[in-house]
PDB file of all heavy atoms in Angstrom:
ATOM      1  N   ALA G   1     141.366  91.562  14.065  1.00 95.00           N
ATOM      2  CA  ALA G   1     142.736  91.118  13.796  1.00 95.00           C
ATOM      3  C   ALA G   1     143.655  91.928  14.673  1.00 95.00           C
ATOM      4  O   ALA G   1     143.539  93.153  14.815  1.00 95.00           O
ATOM      5  CB  ALA G   1     143.124  91.351  12.414  1.00 95.00           C
ATOM      6  N   PRO G   2     144.639  91.150  15.297  1.00 94.00           N
ATOM      7  CA  PRO G   2     145.643  91.948  16.102  1.00 94.00           C
ATOM      8  C   PRO G   2     146.330  93.049  15.379  1.00 94.00           C
ATOM      9  O   PRO G   2     146.856  92.658  14.238  1.00 94.00           O
ATOM     10  CB  PRO G   2     146.542  90.884  16.694  1.00 94.00           C
ATOM     11  CG  PRO G   2     145.766  89.611  16.621  1.00 94.00           C
ATOM     12  CD  PRO G   2     144.882  89.787  15.454  1.00 94.00           C
ATOM     13  N   SER G   3     146.435  94.207  15.865  1.00 92.00           N
ATOM     14  CA  SER G   3     147.069  95.299  15.174  1.00 92.00           C
ATOM     15  C   SER G   3     148.555  95.092  15.042  1.00 92.00           C
ATOM     16  O   SER G   3     149.158  95.651  14.208  1.00 92.00           O
ATOM     17  CB  SER G   3     146.754  96.658  15.863  1.00 92.00           C
ATOM     18  OG  SER G   3     147.322  96.587  17.222  1.00 92.00           O
ATOM     19  N   SER G   4     149.163  94.166  15.826  1.00 93.00           N
ATOM     20  CA  SER G   4     150.538  94.001  15.809  1.00 93.00           C
ATOM     21  C   SER G   4     150.984  93.053  14.634  1.00 93.00           C
ATOM     22  O   SER G   4     152.210  92.920  14.379  1.00 93.00           O
ATOM     23  CB  SER G   4     150.985  93.267  17.035  1.00 93.00           C
ATOM     24  OG  SER G   4     150.261  92.089  17.316  1.00 93.00           O
ATOM     25  N   LEU G   5     150.066  92.483  13.885  1.00 95.00           N
ATOM     26  CA  LEU G   5     150.320  91.554  12.897  1.00 95.00           C
ATOM     27  C   LEU G   5     150.063  92.071  11.515  1.00 95.00           C
ATOM     28  O   LEU G   5     148.909  92.759  11.341  1.00 95.00           O
ATOM     29  CB  LEU G   5     149.557  90.210  13.117  1.00 95.00           C
ATOM     30  CG  LEU G   5     149.840  89.486  14.322  1.00 95.00           C
ATOM     31  CD1 LEU G   5     149.051  88.167  14.357  1.00 95.00           C
ATOM     32  CD2 LEU G   5     151.297  89.162  14.576  1.00 95.00           C
ATOM     33  N   SER G   6     150.927  91.804  10.477  1.00 96.00           N
ATOM     34  CA  SER G   6     150.598  92.179   9.109  1.00 96.00           C
ATOM     35  C   SER G   6     149.624  91.238   8.524  1.00 96.00           C
ATOM     36  O   SER G   6     149.095  90.196   9.172  1.00 96.00           O
ATOM     37  CB  SER G   6     151.860  91.998   8.198  1.00 96.00           C
ATOM     38  OG  SER G   6     152.197  90.596   8.186  1.00 96.00           O
ATOM     39  N   ASP G   7     149.091  91.595   7.357  1.00 96.00           N
ATOM     40  CA  ASP G   7     147.986  90.705   6.746  1.00 96.00           C
ATOM     41  C   ASP G   7     148.568  89.339   6.507  1.00 96.00           C
ATOM     42  O   ASP G   7     147.792  88.258   6.851  1.00 96.00           O
ATOM     43  CB  ASP G   7     147.578  91.271   5.447  1.00 96.00           C
ATOM     44  CG  ASP G   7     146.519  92.429   5.566  1.00 96.00           C
ATOM     45  OD1 ASP G   7     145.956  92.526   6.640  1.00 96.00           O
ATOM     46  OD2 ASP G   7     146.224  93.074   4.498  1.00 96.00           O
ATOM     47  N   ALA G   8     149.696  89.181   6.041  1.00 96.00           N
ATOM     48  CA  ALA G   8     150.344  87.804   5.833  1.00 96.00           C
ATOM     49  C   ALA G   8     150.404  87.056   7.153  1.00 96.00           C
ATOM     50  O   ALA G   8     150.180  85.880   7.165  1.00 96.00           O
ATOM     51  CB  ALA G   8     151.681  87.920   5.154  1.00 96.00           C
ATOM     52  N   GLU G   9     150.736  87.712   8.246  1.00 96.00           N
ATOM     53  CA  GLU G   9     150.831  86.997   9.522  1.00 96.00           C
ATOM     54  C   GLU G   9     149.467  86.802  10.106  1.00 96.00           C
ATOM     55  O   GLU G   9     149.184  85.621  10.555  1.00 96.00           O
ATOM     56  CB  GLU G   9     151.570  87.892  10.487  1.00 96.00           C
ATOM     57  CG  GLU G   9     153.151  88.012  10.053  1.00 96.00           C
ATOM     58  CD  GLU G   9     153.795  89.124  10.906  1.00 96.00           C
ATOM     59  OE1 GLU G   9     153.144  90.133  11.409  1.00 96.00           O
ATOM     60  OE2 GLU G   9     154.962  89.074  11.008  1.00 96.00           O
ATOM     61  N   ALA G  10     148.601  87.713  10.085  1.00 96.00           N
ATOM     62  CA  ALA G  10     147.291  87.607  10.643  1.00 96.00           C
ATOM     63  C   ALA G  10     146.423  86.506   9.938  1.00 96.00           C
ATOM     64  O   ALA G  10     145.518  85.907  10.530  1.00 96.00           O
ATOM     65  CB  ALA G  10     146.557  88.922  10.681  1.00 96.00           C
ATOM     66  N   ALA G  11     146.666  86.320   8.636  1.00 95.00           N
ATOM     67  CA  ALA G  11     145.928  85.348   7.904  1.00 95.00           C
ATOM     68  C   ALA G  11     146.022  83.988   8.495  1.00 95.00           C
ATOM     69  O   ALA G  11     145.185  83.120   8.405  1.00 95.00           O
ATOM     70  CB  ALA G  11     146.326  85.336   6.454  1.00 95.00           C
ATOM     71  N   GLY G  12     147.178  83.595   9.059  1.00 93.00           N
ATOM     72  CA  GLY G  12     147.467  82.339   9.657  1.00 93.00           C
ATOM     73  C   GLY G  12     147.258  82.276  11.152  1.00 93.00           C
ATOM     74  O   GLY G  12     147.753  81.282  11.778  1.00 93.00           O
ATOM     75  N   LEU G  13     146.457  83.120  11.734  1.00 93.00           N
ATOM     76  CA  LEU G  13     146.293  83.099  13.205  1.00 93.00           C
ATOM     77  C   LEU G  13     145.216  82.211  13.667  1.00 93.00           C
ATOM     78  O   LEU G  13     145.276  81.586  14.828  1.00 93.00           O
ATOM     79  CB  LEU G  13     146.119  84.504  13.726  1.00 93.00           C
ATOM     80  CG  LEU G  13     146.057  84.692  15.211  1.00 93.00           C
ATOM     81  CD1 LEU G  13     147.393  84.362  15.858  1.00 93.00           C
ATOM     82  CD2 LEU G  13     145.665  86.204  15.624  1.00 93.00           C
ATOM     83  N   THR G  14     144.147  82.071  12.850  1.00 93.00           N
ATOM     84  CA  THR G  14     142.955  81.373  13.393  1.00 93.00           C
ATOM     85  C   THR G  14     143.076  79.914  13.585  1.00 93.00           C
ATOM     86  O   THR G  14     143.018  79.456  14.675  1.00 93.00           O
ATOM     87  CB  THR G  14     141.741  81.789  12.534  1.00 93.00           C
ATOM     88  OG1 THR G  14     141.643  83.198  12.500  1.00 93.00           O
ATOM     89  CG2 THR G  14     140.409  81.186  13.125  1.00 93.00           C
ATOM     90  N   VAL G  15     143.256  79.204  12.494  1.00 92.00           N
ATOM     91  CA  VAL G  15     143.128  77.754  12.533  1.00 92.00           C
ATOM     92  C   VAL G  15     144.362  77.125  13.311  1.00 92.00           C
ATOM     93  O   VAL G  15     144.061  76.366  14.287  1.00 92.00           O
ATOM     94  CB  VAL G  15     143.011  77.199  11.170  1.00 92.00           C
ATOM     95  CG1 VAL G  15     143.076  75.589  11.102  1.00 92.00           C
ATOM     96  CG2 VAL G  15     141.708  77.604  10.450  1.00 92.00           C
ATOM     97  N   ALA G  16     145.525  77.472  12.867  1.00 92.00           N
ATOM     98  CA  ALA G  16     146.683  76.821  13.505  1.00 92.00           C
ATOM     99  C   ALA G  16     146.880  77.113  15.022  1.00 92.00           C
ATOM    100  O   ALA G  16     146.972  76.275  15.878  1.00 92.00           O
ATOM    101  CB  ALA G  16     147.900  77.205  12.785  1.00 92.00           C
ATOM    102  N   TYR G  17     146.732  78.431  15.213  1.00 96.00           N
ATOM    103  CA  TYR G  17     146.889  78.901  16.681  1.00 96.00           C
ATOM    104  C   TYR G  17     145.779  78.445  17.653  1.00 96.00           C
ATOM    105  O   TYR G  17     146.021  78.058  18.781  1.00 96.00           O
ATOM    106  CB  TYR G  17     147.214  80.339  16.763  1.00 96.00           C
ATOM    107  CG  TYR G  17     148.695  80.660  16.423  1.00 96.00           C
ATOM    108  CD1 TYR G  17     149.008  80.845  15.074  1.00 96.00           C
ATOM    109  CD2 TYR G  17     149.615  80.764  17.358  1.00 96.00           C
ATOM    110  CE1 TYR G  17     150.381  81.075  14.711  1.00 96.00           C
ATOM    111  CE2 TYR G  17     150.962  80.977  17.116  1.00 96.00           C
ATOM    112  CZ  TYR G  17     151.268  81.191  15.668  1.00 96.00           C
ATOM    113  OH  TYR G  17     152.618  81.364  15.344  1.00 96.00           O
ATOM    114  N   GLN G  18     144.544  78.464  17.146  1.00 96.00           N
ATOM    115  CA  GLN G  18     143.495  77.998  18.040  1.00 96.00           C
ATOM    116  C   GLN G  18     143.517  76.452  18.092  1.00 96.00           C
ATOM    117  O   GLN G  18     143.231  75.900  19.220  1.00 96.00           O
ATOM    118  CB  GLN G  18     142.074  78.397  17.427  1.00 96.00           C
ATOM    119  CG  GLN G  18     141.856  79.837  17.597  1.00 96.00           C
ATOM    120  CD  GLN G  18     140.359  80.161  17.731  1.00 96.00           C
ATOM    121  OE1 GLN G  18     139.525  79.399  18.055  1.00 96.00           O
ATOM    122  NE2 GLN G  18     140.055  81.352  17.240  1.00 96.00           N
ATOM    123  N   THR G  19     143.995  75.727  17.066  1.00 96.00           N
ATOM    124  CA  THR G  19     144.187  74.328  17.203  1.00 96.00           C
ATOM    125  C   THR G  19     145.170  73.985  18.312  1.00 96.00           C
ATOM    126  O   THR G  19     145.094  73.201  19.182  1.00 96.00           O
ATOM    127  CB  THR G  19     144.561  73.695  15.924  1.00 96.00           C
ATOM    128  OG1 THR G  19     143.513  73.890  14.843  1.00 96.00           O
ATOM    129  CG2 THR G  19     144.897  72.213  15.947  1.00 96.00           C
ATOM    130  N   ALA G  20     146.315  74.731  18.189  1.00 97.00           N
ATOM    131  CA  ALA G  20     147.309  74.551  19.182  1.00 97.00           C
ATOM    132  C   ALA G  20     146.911  74.878  20.549  1.00 97.00           C
ATOM    133  O   ALA G  20     147.198  74.193  21.608  1.00 97.00           O
ATOM    134  CB  ALA G  20     148.682  75.223  18.819  1.00 97.00           C
ATOM    135  N   TRP G  21     146.221  76.079  20.657  1.00 98.00           N
ATOM    136  CA  TRP G  21     145.721  76.494  21.998  1.00 98.00           C
ATOM    137  C   TRP G  21     144.853  75.487  22.631  1.00 98.00           C
ATOM    138  O   TRP G  21     145.056  75.162  23.845  1.00 98.00           O
ATOM    139  CB  TRP G  21     145.049  77.870  21.896  1.00 98.00           C
ATOM    140  CG  TRP G  21     144.718  78.497  23.116  1.00 98.00           C
ATOM    141  CD1 TRP G  21     145.547  79.447  23.774  1.00 98.00           C
ATOM    142  CD2 TRP G  21     143.521  78.371  23.887  1.00 98.00           C
ATOM    143  NE1 TRP G  21     144.812  79.897  24.916  1.00 98.00           N
ATOM    144  CE2 TRP G  21     143.722  79.276  25.096  1.00 98.00           C
ATOM    145  CE3 TRP G  21     142.395  77.593  23.721  1.00 98.00           C
ATOM    146  CZ2 TRP G  21     142.695  79.370  26.049  1.00 98.00           C
ATOM    147  CZ3 TRP G  21     141.459  77.713  24.699  1.00 98.00           C
ATOM    148  CH2 TRP G  21     141.582  78.478  25.886  1.00 98.00           C
ATOM    149  N   PHE G  22     143.870  75.102  21.866  1.00 98.00           N
ATOM    150  CA  PHE G  22     142.885  74.043  22.394  1.00 98.00           C
ATOM    151  C   PHE G  22     143.628  72.781  22.740  1.00 98.00           C
ATOM    152  O   PHE G  22     143.223  72.036  23.785  1.00 98.00           O
ATOM    153  CB  PHE G  22     141.751  73.822  21.508  1.00 98.00           C
ATOM    154  CG  PHE G  22     140.655  74.920  21.620  1.00 98.00           C
ATOM    155  CD1 PHE G  22     140.584  75.965  20.845  1.00 98.00           C
ATOM    156  CD2 PHE G  22     139.580  74.667  22.611  1.00 98.00           C
ATOM    157  CE1 PHE G  22     139.575  76.958  20.954  1.00 98.00           C
ATOM    158  CE2 PHE G  22     138.652  75.668  22.730  1.00 98.00           C
ATOM    159  CZ  PHE G  22     138.602  76.794  21.916  1.00 98.00           C
ATOM    160  N   GLY G  23     144.540  72.390  21.889  1.00 98.00           N
ATOM    161  CA  GLY G  23     145.288  71.086  22.080  1.00 98.00           C
ATOM    162  C   GLY G  23     146.056  71.161  23.399  1.00 98.00           C
ATOM    163  O   GLY G  23     146.070  70.308  24.286  1.00 98.00           O
ATOM    164  N   LEU G  24     146.735  72.250  23.549  1.00 98.00           N
ATOM    165  CA  LEU G  24     147.738  72.293  24.748  1.00 98.00           C
ATOM    166  C   LEU G  24     146.978  72.644  26.062  1.00 98.00           C
ATOM    167  O   LEU G  24     147.273  72.111  27.166  1.00 98.00           O
ATOM    168  CB  LEU G  24     148.732  73.326  24.447  1.00 98.00           C
ATOM    169  CG  LEU G  24     149.765  72.967  23.243  1.00 98.00           C
ATOM    170  CD1 LEU G  24     150.774  74.129  23.155  1.00 98.00           C
ATOM    171  CD2 LEU G  24     150.357  71.625  23.463  1.00 98.00           C
ATOM    172  N   HIS G  25     146.021  73.682  26.000  1.00 97.00           N
ATOM    173  CA  HIS G  25     145.415  74.201  27.195  1.00 97.00           C
ATOM    174  C   HIS G  25     144.192  73.483  27.604  1.00 97.00           C
ATOM    175  O   HIS G  25     143.911  73.284  28.747  1.00 97.00           O
ATOM    176  CB  HIS G  25     145.257  75.609  27.171  1.00 97.00           C
ATOM    177  CG  HIS G  25     146.512  76.471  26.930  1.00 97.00           C
ATOM    178  ND1 HIS G  25     147.462  76.498  27.971  1.00 97.00           N
ATOM    179  CD2 HIS G  25     147.051  77.224  25.971  1.00 97.00           C
ATOM    180  CE1 HIS G  25     148.508  77.258  27.618  1.00 97.00           C
ATOM    181  NE2 HIS G  25     148.300  77.638  26.332  1.00 97.00           N
ATOM    182  N   ARG G  26     143.308  73.193  26.640  1.00 97.00           N
ATOM    183  CA  ARG G  26     141.931  72.611  26.884  1.00 97.00           C
ATOM    184  C   ARG G  26     142.059  71.108  26.991  1.00 97.00           C
ATOM    185  O   ARG G  26     141.634  70.349  27.934  1.00 97.00           O
ATOM    186  CB  ARG G  26     141.047  72.965  25.827  1.00 97.00           C
ATOM    187  CG  ARG G  26     139.594  72.464  26.136  1.00 97.00           C
ATOM    188  CD  ARG G  26     138.982  73.135  27.325  1.00 97.00           C
ATOM    189  NE  ARG G  26     137.685  72.485  27.584  1.00 97.00           N
ATOM    190  CZ  ARG G  26     136.933  72.852  28.648  1.00 97.00           C
ATOM    191  NH1 ARG G  26     137.338  73.793  29.444  1.00 97.00           N
ATOM    192  NH2 ARG G  26     135.752  72.301  28.907  1.00 97.00           N
ATOM    193  N   ARG G  27     142.816  70.421  25.996  1.00 98.00           N
ATOM    194  CA  ARG G  27     142.707  68.957  26.044  1.00 98.00           C
ATOM    195  C   ARG G  27     143.924  68.405  26.874  1.00 98.00           C
ATOM    196  O   ARG G  27     143.806  67.401  27.450  1.00 98.00           O
ATOM    197  CB  ARG G  27     142.916  68.359  24.593  1.00 98.00           C
ATOM    198  CG  ARG G  27     141.859  68.844  23.726  1.00 98.00           C
ATOM    199  CD  ARG G  27     140.420  68.411  24.062  1.00 98.00           C
ATOM    200  NE  ARG G  27     140.218  67.029  23.835  1.00 98.00           N
ATOM    201  CZ  ARG G  27     139.690  66.158  24.651  1.00 98.00           C
ATOM    202  NH1 ARG G  27     139.258  66.633  25.852  1.00 98.00           N
ATOM    203  NH2 ARG G  27     139.443  64.924  24.324  1.00 98.00           N
ATOM    204  N   ALA G  28     145.096  69.048  26.921  1.00 98.00           N
ATOM    205  CA  ALA G  28     146.333  68.395  27.639  1.00 98.00           C
ATOM    206  C   ALA G  28     146.533  69.124  28.927  1.00 98.00           C
ATOM    207  O   ALA G  28     147.347  68.554  29.744  1.00 98.00           O
ATOM    208  CB  ALA G  28     147.502  68.492  26.674  1.00 98.00           C
ATOM    209  N   ALA G  29     145.918  70.241  29.241  1.00 98.00           N
ATOM    210  CA  ALA G  29     146.188  71.015  30.430  1.00 98.00           C
ATOM    211  C   ALA G  29     147.650  71.122  30.682  1.00 98.00           C
ATOM    212  O   ALA G  29     148.109  70.887  31.847  1.00 98.00           O
ATOM    213  CB  ALA G  29     145.429  70.282  31.523  1.00 98.00           C
ATOM    214  N   LEU G  30     148.327  71.603  29.649  1.00 98.00           N
ATOM    215  CA  LEU G  30     149.896  71.832  29.880  1.00 98.00           C
ATOM    216  C   LEU G  30     150.201  72.704  30.993  1.00 98.00           C
ATOM    217  O   LEU G  30     149.536  73.799  31.172  1.00 98.00           O
ATOM    218  CB  LEU G  30     150.375  72.460  28.506  1.00 98.00           C
ATOM    219  CG  LEU G  30     151.816  72.659  28.489  1.00 98.00           C
ATOM    220  CD1 LEU G  30     152.674  71.327  28.462  1.00 98.00           C
ATOM    221  CD2 LEU G  30     152.209  73.592  27.161  1.00 98.00           C
ATOM    222  N   GLN G  31     151.184  72.233  31.773  1.00 98.00           N
ATOM    223  CA  GLN G  31     151.603  73.028  32.968  1.00 98.00           C
ATOM    224  C   GLN G  31     152.957  73.558  32.726  1.00 98.00           C
ATOM    225  O   GLN G  31     153.844  72.991  32.070  1.00 98.00           O
ATOM    226  CB  GLN G  31     151.591  72.112  34.194  1.00 98.00           C
ATOM    227  CG  GLN G  31     150.264  71.549  34.518  1.00 98.00           C
ATOM    228  CD  GLN G  31     149.214  72.580  34.777  1.00 98.00           C
ATOM    229  OE1 GLN G  31     149.307  73.380  35.632  1.00 98.00           O
ATOM    230  NE2 GLN G  31     148.082  72.549  34.050  1.00 98.00           N
ATOM    231  N   ARG G  32     153.251  74.729  33.432  1.00 98.00           N
ATOM    232  CA  ARG G  32     154.661  75.294  33.450  1.00 98.00           C
ATOM    233  C   ARG G  32     155.630  74.277  33.938  1.00 98.00           C
ATOM    234  O   ARG G  32     155.355  73.538  34.949  1.00 98.00           O
ATOM    235  CB  ARG G  32     154.665  76.516  34.374  1.00 98.00           C
ATOM    236  CG  ARG G  32     156.029  77.202  34.430  1.00 98.00           C
ATOM    237  CD  ARG G  32     155.961  78.525  35.126  1.00 98.00           C
ATOM    238  NE  ARG G  32     155.180  79.499  34.415  1.00 98.00           N
ATOM    239  CZ  ARG G  32     155.580  80.244  33.484  1.00 98.00           C
ATOM    240  NH1 ARG G  32     156.840  80.173  33.144  1.00 98.00           N
ATOM    241  NH2 ARG G  32     154.834  81.133  32.824  1.00 98.00           N
ATOM    242  N   GLY G  33     156.698  74.146  33.217  1.00 98.00           N
ATOM    243  CA  GLY G  33     157.836  73.268  33.647  1.00 98.00           C
ATOM    244  C   GLY G  33     157.713  71.873  32.966  1.00 98.00           C
ATOM    245  O   GLY G  33     158.643  71.036  33.077  1.00 98.00           O
ATOM    246  N   GLU G  34     156.562  71.486  32.445  1.00 98.00           N
ATOM    247  CA  GLU G  34     156.418  70.224  31.839  1.00 98.00           C
ATOM    248  C   GLU G  34     157.205  70.165  30.523  1.00 98.00           C
ATOM    249  O   GLU G  34     157.493  71.172  29.870  1.00 98.00           O
ATOM    250  CB  GLU G  34     154.943  69.964  31.485  1.00 98.00           C
ATOM    251  CG  GLU G  34     154.185  69.615  32.883  1.00 98.00           C
ATOM    252  CD  GLU G  34     152.852  69.065  32.605  1.00 98.00           C
ATOM    253  OE1 GLU G  34     152.086  69.471  31.718  1.00 98.00           O
ATOM    254  OE2 GLU G  34     152.401  68.042  33.271  1.00 98.00           O
ATOM    255  N   TRP G  35     157.486  68.854  30.035  1.00 98.00           N
ATOM    256  CA  TRP G  35     158.131  68.716  28.804  1.00 98.00           C
ATOM    257  C   TRP G  35     157.082  68.454  27.771  1.00 98.00           C
ATOM    258  O   TRP G  35     156.174  67.571  27.860  1.00 98.00           O
ATOM    259  CB  TRP G  35     159.044  67.352  28.828  1.00 98.00           C
ATOM    260  CG  TRP G  35     160.346  67.589  29.541  1.00 98.00           C
ATOM    261  CD1 TRP G  35     160.662  67.271  30.803  1.00 98.00           C
ATOM    262  CD2 TRP G  35     161.485  68.182  29.029  1.00 98.00           C
ATOM    263  NE1 TRP G  35     161.899  67.595  31.133  1.00 98.00           N
ATOM    264  CE2 TRP G  35     162.450  68.199  30.027  1.00 98.00           C
ATOM    265  CE3 TRP G  35     161.849  68.698  27.717  1.00 98.00           C
ATOM    266  CZ2 TRP G  35     163.785  68.623  29.776  1.00 98.00           C
ATOM    267  CZ3 TRP G  35     163.052  69.200  27.527  1.00 98.00           C
ATOM    268  CH2 TRP G  35     164.082  69.098  28.526  1.00 98.00           C
ATOM    269  N   LEU G  36     157.216  69.248  26.716  1.00 98.00           N
ATOM    270  CA  LEU G  36     156.237  69.146  25.506  1.00 98.00           C
ATOM    271  C   LEU G  36     156.982  68.700  24.271  1.00 98.00           C
ATOM    272  O   LEU G  36     157.924  69.374  23.901  1.00 98.00           O
ATOM    273  CB  LEU G  36     155.575  70.586  25.275  1.00 98.00           C
ATOM    274  CG  LEU G  36     154.856  70.779  23.980  1.00 98.00           C
ATOM    275  CD1 LEU G  36     153.508  69.798  23.889  1.00 98.00           C
ATOM    276  CD2 LEU G  36     154.424  72.209  23.838  1.00 98.00           C
ATOM    277  N   LEU G  37     156.434  67.637  23.663  1.00 98.00           N
ATOM    278  CA  LEU G  37     157.046  67.139  22.498  1.00 98.00           C
ATOM    279  C   LEU G  37     156.036  67.449  21.329  1.00 98.00           C
ATOM    280  O   LEU G  37     154.907  67.081  21.410  1.00 98.00           O
ATOM    281  CB  LEU G  37     157.202  65.529  22.531  1.00 98.00           C
ATOM    282  CG  LEU G  37     157.728  64.831  21.195  1.00 98.00           C
ATOM    283  CD1 LEU G  37     159.051  65.308  20.855  1.00 98.00           C
ATOM    284  CD2 LEU G  37     157.594  63.382  21.488  1.00 98.00           C
TER     285      LEU G  37
END
């Protein structure tokens, strides 16, 4: 767990943030300057 996050914050890091990370970077290949909705 990142030491910068409290328990309440760190509890929500895995599913939501990995879902968003894979969606934006792996599936959509989001680029700097693009419009994201």
Side-chain angles (χ1 to χ4, degrees):
S3 59
S4 57
L5 302 181
S6 69
D7 277 349
E9 293 166 337
L13 184 64
T14 302
V15 174
Y17 280 85
Q18 288 207 28
T19 296
W21 189 92
F22 276 95
L24 298 182
H25 295 294
R26 183 70 186 176
R27 303 299 286 140
L30 179 68
Q31 301 298 307
R32 178 173 295 276
E34 287 192 315
W35 284 99
L36 167 63
L37 175 65

